[in-house]
Amino acid sequence: GLIRLKRGASPIYDGQDHLVPFCETLEALFRLGLKQPGSFLGVTRRDYWNWIEVLPSSNIPGAKKNPLLCDIVNTVKTSPELRTSQGRGRCFIRLALDRRLIPVAAEHL
């Protein structure tokens, strides 16, 4: 399953057995290091989507502007069905997997 995904031997379908656990693992990895201390007053907790959405406009030294990554981010940002950072992040992971762009985002973690 995952080896075929890496090789690009077949398209990625939502019904594939390995897709859900793989996406959950990616989501957990993206969240590593993003934990912020909680607040008694309920300060908004930021999710991995918050750093992904600024990648296309970031001035990170050495960051390459990838047009496909920018397209995915803009698609997710403008989707009216997505209302939460978690939902946007999950949609980003799914689209980036489909277009094989997860390494591009992950290298900027």
Side-chain angles (χ1 to χ4, degrees):
L2 291 177
I3 292 176
R4 279 180 292 170
L5 176 66
K6 183 178 179 184
R7 288 185 191 149
S10 64
I12 300 168
Y13 297 107
D14 290 340
Q16 292 172 322
D17 294 337
H18 63 276
L19 185 63
V20 171
F22 186 71
C23 287
E24 289 172 349
T25 301
L26 275 175
E27 188 174 40
L29 289 171
F30 281 163
R31 284 195 174 120
L32 280 177
L34 295 177
K35 292 184 180 180
Q36 299 174 358
S39 168
F40 181 71
L41 300 175
V43 173
T44 303
R45 187 173 156 216
R46 296 180 58 89
D47 205 4
Y48 62 96
W49 167 251
N50 300 111
W51 66 262
I52 289 173
E53 72 177 330
V54 298
L55 280 178
S57 62
S58 72
N59 291 324
I60 299 170
K64 297 176 185 173
K65 303 287 191 231
N66 185 307
L68 293 175
L69 181 68
C70 294
D71 287 344
I72 291 172
V73 170
N74 287 331
T75 298
V76 172
K77 282 171 101 170
T78 59
S79 178
E81 298 88 21
L82 302 171
R83 295 187 178 102
T84 65
S85 291
Q86 183 178 30
R88 289 182 186 100
R90 288 178 176 175
C91 183
F92 171 82
I93 286 174
R94 182 62 181 85
L95 291 172
L97 273 174
D98 191 49
R99 291 169 181 83
R100 297 182 179 20
L101 289 173
I102 288 293
V104 175
E107 78 181 44
H108 298 297
L109 265 174

